[in-house]
Amino acid sequence: MTLDRFFTAYDRVLQKWPADSQAIDVSTVHGTTRINACGPVDGPALVLLPGAGATSTVWFANVAALSQHYRVYAVDLMGDVGRSVPGEQSIDSVDKLLNWVSAVLDELGLPTAALCGHSYGAMIALAYALRNENRVDALTLLDPNSCFGSMSPRYLIHALPILLSRNEKRQRSFVRWETDGVQLDSDWLDVLALGAAYAPTTKTIVPKRPKPGAFNNFGVRTTVVLAAKGKVHNASKIEATVHTVLPQARTVILANATHHGLPMIPATEVNETLLS
């Protein structure tokens, strides 16, 4: 059964995490959110939001280094594949999506946290920080699509078959194309591909790209990490836009990164960026 194979793959990737990692389930009106956590309990909090379909396990190459400094909380996004279980009150608007993030932070006892998101997770992280500055100590966006510019038509054309009908074979083929066949961890690739086979049929709630004026007086320390070899958008153009709307932001372009290879490859550079 595909679902059993998915959870078996999910657990295999978690075995790559530090030995002190623990699974935490927090309940909100939107259901039960699974968080995989590690690092010193009294360390500063770092909340990680993955890309769509990637699950919290995707940070396996990052958490050992990050947990030397932070208490790391990696979240399975509600309404996406993973071990978060939706409740009776579905997330059907951006307001509810962002309220869910606040509710999770509340249940974890975190008045503030550093926030890092990749891809769709970056879209959520940015929307949340713009609305809840007082709760975000620092913001890191890993190759944020549709945050500072449009996605490439070429990328969208290649993604169309998955959007129309997800399945394991199409997911693997798409990622292989976007990453130029880079050697991704086979266990995590199983999570992504098998997850596509039973992805929720509910509509994904996507925050709109912020208008330039939304960044006026935005005071959260922000780092934008871009994949030079990524096919979602042109990294240099996105960097220029970031500097226009958010001049104080730090930008980092990773020469050998692709969109779907992040945050695993190049893990060392991603970790150094987050730790600095």
Side-chain angles (χ1 to χ4, degrees), residues 216-233:
N216 292 344
N217 304 313
F218 183 60
V220 177
R221 284 183 299 128
T222 301
T223 300
V224 180
V225 179
L226 298 165
K229 292 184 177 178
K231 295 176 182 174
V232 171
H233 45 221

Side-chain angles (χ1 to χ4, degrees), residues 2 4 16 25 35 37-38 62 96 108 110 117 123 131 160 167 174 184 189 196 208 212 234 264:
T2 301
D4 291 338
K16 304 174 195 286
D25 287 321
I35 295 138
C38 62
N62 313 99
K96 288 182 181 178
L108 290 171
L110 303 176
M123 298 171 74
R131 192 174 294 192
L160 191 59
N167 63 46
F174 177 63
L184 295 172
L189 197 53
K208 288 183 179 178
N234 180 292
M264 303 163 284

Side-chain angles (χ1 to χ4, degrees), residues 134-152:
N134 62 323
R135 300 205 66 170
V136 182
D137 295 325
L139 177 67
T140 305
L141 307 173
L142 302 181
D143 217 39
N145 46 316
S146 300
C147 288
F148 301 99
S150 301
M151 288 196 279
S152 151

Side-chain angles (χ1 to χ4, degrees), residues 50-66:
T55 79
S56 59
T57 66
V58 73
W59 308 94
F60 67 88
N62 313 99
V63 286
L66 299 178

